[in-house]
Amino acid sequence: MNKKIIALALAGGLVLSACANGETSNQGDDGNETETSQVVDDNKEDVSDDTKDNTDDDQASSPTSLDLANLETDLDKAVDSFNTHFEGKEISITDISLEVEDNKYVYDFEGFDGTNEYQALIDAETFEVLKEEVEEEPDNEMNEVIDLSAIISPDEAIKKAEEISEGGKALEWSLSVDDGKTIYEVDLDNKDDVGVDGLTGEAFLED
């Protein structure tokens, strides 16, 4: 009988010792309970807020927040605006693109004459010149000029690109001459990049 009582007392002592050890594991050197759980929760909230802010910024600047299909593009007006802005200059145009700048569509023109290189950003809706840059001593040998009288329209190029991509919608495009070939490069929302021959309209998926 006495042996059973002693055994029970020893077992009880071990349980109390284990509980005491469990309690002290949450205490700091000064004997105060730590606030580890609260710190972890606060860090989670900070990370969540940062992630949300970054997501909102990405959505605000992304081309997908704009609808190119609803934009009444008029390349002729954009070209006229570019030439009028640099009135008196006989500028050969080498690159044109329709892209997103500050969450709106703009045309980006590049060209050159005998002495300078020119660049201008033009609002795609108002055709106002938003920004210009003139650089002296152009490297004309590296520039190939777009024959604007021979190209298909951007709308036709977009249509060809969307047909070959099977469901993709155009977000941006650019037009330039490379090795004698005039090519539209069309970016689509399904991550396809499609090239369209600016003279024949033949479309092909780019690598």
Side-chain angles (χ1 to χ4, degrees):
M1 180 69 177
N2 291 335
K3 290 182 179 181
K4 290 183 179 180
I5 294 173
I6 293 171
L8 290 172
L10 289 174
L14 290 174
V15 170
L16 291 174
S17 175
C19 291
N21 290 335
E23 291 176 356
T24 57
S25 65
N26 290 329
Q27 293 180 350
D29 295 337
D30 57 358
N32 295 327
E33 292 187 1
T34 61
E35 298 181 357
T36 304
S37 176
Q38 182 64 39
V39 171
V40 171
D41 290 341
D42 289 343
N43 288 339
K44 285 182 179 179
E45 290 179 2
D46 291 342
V47 171
S48 177
D49 290 342
D50 290 343
T51 302
K52 183 178 183 300
D53 291 341
N54 290 336
T55 301
D56 291 342
D57 291 342
D58 290 341
Q59 290 176 345
S61 60
S62 171
T64 57
S65 64
L66 301 174
D67 191 351
L68 183 56
N70 292 334
L71 180 67
E72 296 183 4
T73 57
D74 193 329
L75 182 56
D76 290 337
K77 284 186 178 180
V79 171
D80 288 342
S81 178
F82 177 75
N83 290 330
T84 300
H85 183 73
F86 296 108
E87 188 175 2
K89 308 290 185 180
E90 294 183 3
I91 301 175
S92 299
I93 296 174
T94 59
D95 296 273
I96 307 171
S97 62
L98 182 64
E99 59 194 43
V100 173
E101 181 89 6
D102 295 331
N103 204 35
K104 65 181 176 182
Y105 277 107
V106 298
Y107 289 99
D108 187 349
F109 279 82
E110 295 182 20
F112 69 94
D113 61 10
T115 57
N116 299 316
E117 287 183 349
Y118 302 86
Q119 183 178 9
L121 293 182
I122 299 173
D123 190 297
E125 294 184 339
T126 66
F127 302 100
E128 174 189 0
V129 175
L130 304 174
K131 186 187 301 183
E132 70 163 48
E133 183 175 342
V134 180
E135 182 178 346
E136 295 182 355
E137 299 181 0
D139 186 3
N140 295 343
E141 293 181 359
M142 300 298 294
N143 295 321
E144 298 185 73
V145 179
I146 299 172
D147 184 355
L148 295 171
S149 65
I151 62 172
I152 64 174
S153 70
D155 289 340
E156 186 175 351
I158 288 171
K159 181 179 178 181
K160 296 287 187 180
E162 291 179 344
E163 286 175 354
I164 196 174
S165 73
E166 298 181 353
K169 296 297 181 184
L171 299 175
E172 300 177 329
W173 59 260
S174 62
L175 176 65
S176 61
V177 183
D178 187 18
D179 291 333
K181 294 183 178 180
T182 305
I183 302 294
Y184 282 96
E185 294 183 1
V186 184
D187 297 335
L188 298 106
D189 60 3
N190 63 354
K191 306 304 182 182
D192 279 345
D193 292 327
V194 178
V196 180
D197 190 301
L199 304 182
T200 68
E202 180 182 358
F204 53 91
L205 289 172
E206 296 187 328
D207 296 332

